[in-house]
């Protein structure tokens, strides 16, 4: 497993001994499943009778699955590299027999244009939902337009990042997609396409009631700033369509695929397995979070100036945000977490990141904990030059290497983290670690008050339910289908549908 981390120079001293592991705990005895589950279903049915809320198939599925996950949750030590349960699950996003086929272009309700928003993965989410909205509207989808004007200022078009021919072909049974509105149709239109913006998390009914009439009247309509404009709560067929788009239709171009796989092969030649970390410690991320990392007035001014770019952000208390677990961990803290979980100093680490706040000085503690430290710049050399002016293409390369990793570690739970976490669940629950920032923050503050073995045991305990197991804990506030695509994950046990509850 390698030697323990040398943390004396950073005021985190070791008291000797091996890396500790949580002692096995006997599973909690649960009440009789049929009786308990039957009681819950009866009560919900009774409540729905008086409230008028009809409990959907998705509601029943979540209830059954969460109950099953609590019954089978394993509190004992785990293999840090791979879930012992991963082989029991697989992605299942096929069309049902009665799912409506694509409407031909000449019979559709009109042409739906989509202007996405944000960085690569935020746009990916928008593209996924654009296909679903086009299906809801019986519309012909025009290949989405990527965002050229946001913080990243990337001039890449859809075809520069994604294989557009594959995208159109793969989804041809679901939605008719064209590269542009036909010239003769444009000539026949007396006005330019209508432009509007849908509210966030809109229900399908919004698109049918508010968007469809305009689309049919104008023949073409553009939806702008299209990200998270469709609810996460859709019926199973539409959720599976989301999965077909996100996990199958959106394939990177050959040039991006070739370089990404080349970096993966270089890592595999050095070690049979590797860990990928999405550090998300760029200046814009830290400014947006409202967090503070001890850099004095210089840091407060630098991040404060960046924060002014978003005029709608509220004033936040950095201390409160950290205590709530809303602040990204520092590279050093992520390194300590990984060492405490059992990853030795001989572990090969791939770090996905843009511009690092604080530069090399910020990364140095992580390098000391994991000397086998690599980035796309280190592995690709001159092969990276054609991609350097394009942040989204660089992000796509990082995406491939992180996706292929044995273990993926998120930091801030942003769009890339969510998309990759969901994809890795869909592809067989490859291990994905999401730091419990709230609990870990307390442990880091008390690090000097305990020996390494105790610190390690406490970190392992804090990370239960956040290690990429099939029974992982979902965020309390709401389900996020991008991160937890439960409708598209099936169990190899006959008749059972798996959930990531």
């Amino acid at each position: 497993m390698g030697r323990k981390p040398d943390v004396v120079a950073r005021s985190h001293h070791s008291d000797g001994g091996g890396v500790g592991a949580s002692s096995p705990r006997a599973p909690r005895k649960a009440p009789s499943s049929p009786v308990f589950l039957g009681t819950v279903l009866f009560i919900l049915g009774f409540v729905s009778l008086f409230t008028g809320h009809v409990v959907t198939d998705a509601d029943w599925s979540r209830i059954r699955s969460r109950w099953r996950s609590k019954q089978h949750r394993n509190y004992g030590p785990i293999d840090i590299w791979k879930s012992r349960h991963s082989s029991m699950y697989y992605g299942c996003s096929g069309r049902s027999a009665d799912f409506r086929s694509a409407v031909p272009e000449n019979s559709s309700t009109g042409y739906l244009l989509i202007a996405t928003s944000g960085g690569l993965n935020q746009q990916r989410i928008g593209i996924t939902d654009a296909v679903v909205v086009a299906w809801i509207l019986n519309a012909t989808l025009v290949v989405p337009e990527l965002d050229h004007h946001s913080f990243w200022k990337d001039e890449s078009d859809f075809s520069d990042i994604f294989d557009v021919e594959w995208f159109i072909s793969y989804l041809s049974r679901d939605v008719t997609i064209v590269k542009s509105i036909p010239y003769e149709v444009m000539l026949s239109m007396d006005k330019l396409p209508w432009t509007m913006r849908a509210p966030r998390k809109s229900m399908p009914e919004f698109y049918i009631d508010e968007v469809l009439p305009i689309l049919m009247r104008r023949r073409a309509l553009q939806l702008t700033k299209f990200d998270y404009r469709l609810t996460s709560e859709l019926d199973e067929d539409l959720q599976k369509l989301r999965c077909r788009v996100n996990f199958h239709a959106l394939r990177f171009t050959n040039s991006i695929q070739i370089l990404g796989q080349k970096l993966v092969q270089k890592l595999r030649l050095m070690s049979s397995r590797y860990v990928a970390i999405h550090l998300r410690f760029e200046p814009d991320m830290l400014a947006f979070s409202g967090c503070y990392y001890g850099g004095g007035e210089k840091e407060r001014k630098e991040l404060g100036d960046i924060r002014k770019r978003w005029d709608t952000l509220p004033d936040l208390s950095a201390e409160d945000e950290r205590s709530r677990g809303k602040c990204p961990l520092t590279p050093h803290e992520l390194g300590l977490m990984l060492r405490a979980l059992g990853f030795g100093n001989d572990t090969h680490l791939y770090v996905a990141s843009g511009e690092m706040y604080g530069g090399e000085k910020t990364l140095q503690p992580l390098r000391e904990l994991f000397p086998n430290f690599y980035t796309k710049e280190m592995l690709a050399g001159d092969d990276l030059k054609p991609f350097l002016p394009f942040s989204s293409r660089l992000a796509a390369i990082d995406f491939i290497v992180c996706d292929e990793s044995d273990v993926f570690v998120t930091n801030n739970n942003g769009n890339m983290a969510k998309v990759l976490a969901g994809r890795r669940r869909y592809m067989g629950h490859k291990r994905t670690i999401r730091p419990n920032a709230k609990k870990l923050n307390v442990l880091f503050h008390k690090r000097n008050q305990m020996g390494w073995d105790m610190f390690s045991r406490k970190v392992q305990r804090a990370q239960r339910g956040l290690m990429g197991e099939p029974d992982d804990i979902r965020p309390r506030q709401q389900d996020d289908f991008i991160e937890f695509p439960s409708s598209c994950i099936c169990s190899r046990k006959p008749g059972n549908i798996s959930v990531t509850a």
Side-chain angles (χ1 to χ4, degrees):
M1 194 66 73
R3 64 180 177 84
K4 288 188 297 185
D6 179 11
V7 290
V8 176
R10 315 240 162 246
S11 301
H12 297 299
H13 55 274
S14 171
D15 63 350
V19 174
S22 300
S23 58
R25 182 188 296 180
R28 298 175 182 173
K29 189 171 182 180
S32 172
S33 173
V35 174
F36 180 83
L37 189 55
T39 302
V40 171
L41 297 180
F42 173 79
I43 292 172
L44 283 174
F46 191 72
V47 169
S48 69
L49 183 65
F50 287 93
T51 62
H53 170 71
V54 178
V55 182
T56 65
D57 289 341
D59 293 328
W60 294 130
S61 176
R62 279 193 294 273
I63 293 163
R64 286 193 300 268
S65 59
R66 287 176 178 171
W67 169 246
R68 280 201 305 270
S69 90
K70 287 180 181 178
Q71 283 186 302
H72 297 103
R73 183 165 290 155
N74 182 6
Y75 288 95
I78 65 171
D79 180 345
I80 56 175
W81 286 100
K82 183 178 180 180
S83 168
R84 69 170 70 98
H85 305 297
S86 61
S87 61
M88 296 167 56
Y89 302 96
Y90 64 97
C92 53
S93 59
R95 297 164 49 91
S96 66
D98 57 351
F99 189 67
R100 192 191 72 230
S101 295
V103 177
E105 183 178 355
N106 59 3
S107 305
S108 71
T109 54
Y111 292 91
L112 181 66
L113 298 98
I114 296 291
T116 60
S117 178
L120 173 66
N121 291 285
Q122 188 173 337
Q123 293 184 91
R124 187 187 189 109
I125 293 166
I127 294 166
T128 297
D129 284 351
V131 174
V132 179
V133 169
W135 186 93
I136 291 169
L137 297 175
N138 282 333
T140 295
L141 178 66
V142 179
V143 169
E145 174 187 326
L146 300 191
D147 185 353
H148 297 161
H149 306 292
S150 64
F151 175 83
W152 293 269
K153 298 288 190 279
D154 190 322
E155 295 297 322
S156 299
D157 292 323
F158 188 102
S159 59
D160 295 318
I161 298 174
F162 300 108
D163 185 336
V164 66
E165 301 297 341
W166 172 261
F167 178 74
I168 293 171
S169 173
Y170 188 90
L171 294 169
S172 60
R173 291 184 62 199
D174 298 307
V175 172
T176 298
I177 304 174
V178 297
K179 293 181 182 179
S180 61
I181 299 177
Y183 181 68
E184 59 273 15
V185 174
M186 289 292 291
L187 286 178
S188 68
M189 294 170 55
D190 57 349
K191 296 179 181 178
L192 292 174
W194 186 268
T195 298
M196 65 182 295
R197 186 182 302 177
R200 291 179 71 82
K201 302 288 186 181
S202 293
M203 299 295 289
E205 290 76 15
F206 168 82
Y207 291 97
I208 294 170
D209 296 339
E210 303 295 333
V211 177
L212 182 58
I214 300 173
L215 176 63
M216 295 183 71
R217 187 169 65 249
R218 302 294 295 263
R219 299 190 66 190
L221 179 147
Q222 183 181 56
L223 297 176
T224 62
K225 299 286 285 186
F226 202 80
D227 61 333
Y228 292 99
R229 303 293 162 176
L230 185 62
T231 178
S232 279
E233 298 293 330
L234 296 174
D235 67 49
E236 187 170 287
D237 277 332
L238 290 181
Q239 298 289 46
K240 285 181 180 292
L241 176 55
R242 262 180 168 150
C243 294
R244 291 197 292 278
V245 182
N246 195 9
F247 304 137
H248 297 284
L250 284 173
R251 187 167 72 179
F252 294 122
T253 59
N254 282 338
S255 61
I256 292 173
Q257 287 275 15
I258 289 169
L259 183 54
Q261 291 299 331
K262 184 176 181 179
L263 303 194
V264 172
Q265 290 168 10
K266 284 189 175 183
L267 287 165
R268 294 288 183 208
L269 286 173
M270 292 185 283
S271 177
S272 61
R273 55 194 186 186
Y274 68 94
V275 175
I277 301 180
H278 186 215
L279 274 184
R280 207 61 182 101
F281 209 72
E282 295 93 343
D284 65 298
M285 179 65 243
L286 302 187
F288 188 86
S289 71
C291 299
Y292 172 69
Y293 291 91
E297 190 58 35
K298 179 176 180 289
E299 177 186 325
R300 294 184 191 278
K301 184 178 187 310
E302 288 175 345
L303 298 185
D305 288 345
I306 296 173
R307 193 172 171 80
K308 291 175 184 176
R309 297 173 184 169
W310 299 283
D311 54 9
T312 60
L313 292 182
D315 291 331
L316 298 173
S317 162
E319 186 175 336
D320 289 346
E321 292 302 289
R322 179 168 288 275
S323 66
R324 292 170 57 217
K326 299 299 182 181
C327 295
L329 302 185
T330 67
H332 185 213
E333 289 169 341
L334 275 172
L336 287 175
M337 179 197 75
L338 287 174
R339 295 302 304 273
L341 288 173
F343 293 96
N345 71 311
D346 56 346
T347 299
H348 282 66
L349 214 64
Y350 178 84
V351 175
S353 178
E355 175 194 359
M356 183 67 52
Y357 185 69
E360 184 59 31
K361 183 179 179 182
T362 302
L363 282 176
Q364 189 58 34
L366 181 59
R367 287 180 182 272
E368 291 174 1
L369 290 168
F370 292 96
N372 296 309
F373 176 105
Y374 301 94
T375 64
K376 58 182 175 294
E377 290 80 8
M378 296 168 65
L379 293 171
D382 290 342
D383 289 343
L384 200 62
K385 284 184 179 179
F387 300 89
L388 290 177
F390 308 103
S391 60
S392 290
R393 299 183 214 184
L394 293 173
I397 294 167
D398 273 337
F399 187 100
I400 291 171
V401 184
C402 290
D403 185 36
E404 293 284 345
S405 67
D406 299 271
V407 177
F408 173 58
V409 183
T410 70
N411 193 4
N412 175 266
N413 201 35
N415 293 306
M416 179 170 170
K418 289 178 180 179
V419 171
L420 269 171
R423 179 179 176 85
R424 291 170 69 86
R425 288 184 173 96
Y426 180 82
M427 297 298 180
H429 285 89
K430 294 192 290 184
R431 190 161 301 292
T432 302
I433 298 175
R434 178 158 53 97
N436 189 336
K438 184 175 182 179
K439 290 185 177 179
L440 291 176
N441 176 57
V442 176
L443 293 178
F444 291 136
H445 273 114
K446 296 181 178 179
R447 173 68 191 94
N448 291 330
Q449 301 172 23
M450 66 185 86
W452 176 256
D453 289 344
M454 179 179 290
F455 175 74
S456 178
R457 286 194 296 272
K458 287 182 178 292
V459 168
Q460 291 170 30
R461 193 174 300 121
Q463 284 301 122
R464 285 176 183 161
L466 298 168
M467 295 289 289
E469 292 287 332
D471 60 356
D472 261 359
I473 300 168
R474 280 184 174 177
R476 291 182 180 179
Q477 58 272 29
Q478 62 183 17
D479 292 342
D480 188 327
F481 188 77
I482 296 297
E483 187 176 2
F484 295 93
S486 53
S487 299
C488 303
I489 301 175
C490 293
S491 168
R492 297 192 187 279
K493 295 177 181 178
N496 284 343
I497 298 241
S498 158
V499 280
T500 31

